Amino acid sequence: MGRDRNRELVAEYPWLDIGDKQLTLLDMLPVGWYGLILDMCKEIKRELVKYDLVSKYQVVEAKEKWYGLSWYDALSDLSPMPPAITDIVCKYEMQSKEVCMMCGAPKPKDQPLCDVYMKRYR
């Protein structure tokens, strides 16, 4: 992603900031999940605003694990995460298992990539 786009993302979703002016957390994750992750961030922010928690929300780690997104978050004051946010994260972690991490196309849950990429890497 470009530097300007990354600045916009960090302004909208501060938890994507990794302390590098060139990169965001999104740049560390598979490109096929970008849309999915941004949709998740939009829903998370909606809930955080309701609870006035935007400034306290942080992502401890986000990665690909077993062909799905693993998103580990917390509140900076260590208070309990609102269940609505946990539900949103869980929903998108499950959805990521049905989306190719390379291109974003639908894929079977039991395959690491969509059929197009599976053929390419065989």
Side-chain angles (χ1 to χ4, degrees):
M1 298 208 141
R3 187 181 316 169
D4 292 337
R5 176 66 174 138
N6 282 344
R7 278 192 207 122
E8 291 171 10
L9 286 172
V10 169
E12 184 69 21
Y13 311 116
W15 54 88
L16 294 179
D17 188 3
I18 60 170
D20 183 316
K21 293 178 183 175
Q22 303 289 326
L23 303 172
T24 67
L25 179 62
L26 198 59
D27 294 304
M28 305 294 124
L29 295 166
V31 69
W33 290 342
Y34 282 12
L36 184 88
I37 293 167
L38 290 175
D39 289 346
M40 178 178 68
C41 286
K42 189 182 298 183
E43 284 191 43
I44 288 171
K45 185 171 182 181
R46 223 175 299 149
E47 288 300 315
L48 291 171
V49 167
K50 286 182 191 177
Y51 297 102
D52 192 28
L53 293 173
V54 174
S55 65
K56 293 181 181 180
Y57 186 76
Q58 56 191 1
V59 178
V60 179
E61 185 178 15
K63 62 184 180 180
E64 177 275 327
K65 184 175 181 182
W66 300 106
Y67 315 122
L69 174 66
S70 290
W71 187 268
Y72 304 95
D73 55 6
L75 298 175
S76 59
D77 65 359
L78 301 178
S79 60
M81 187 67 68
I85 294 172
T86 304
D87 291 346
I88 291 166
V89 170
C90 184
K91 175 178 92 172
Y92 283 94
E93 285 178 333
M94 296 301 287
Q95 283 181 10
S96 73
K97 293 177 186 275
E98 298 174 5
V99 175
C100 177
M101 64 181 135
M102 298 297 284
C103 69
K107 70 164 188 74
K109 284 183 184 180
D110 61 338
Q111 280 184 199
L113 303 169
C114 69
D115 290 336
V116 171
Y117 277 92
M118 288 296 288
K119 288 176 187 170
R120 219 181 258 183
Y121 292 111
R122 284 186 186 175

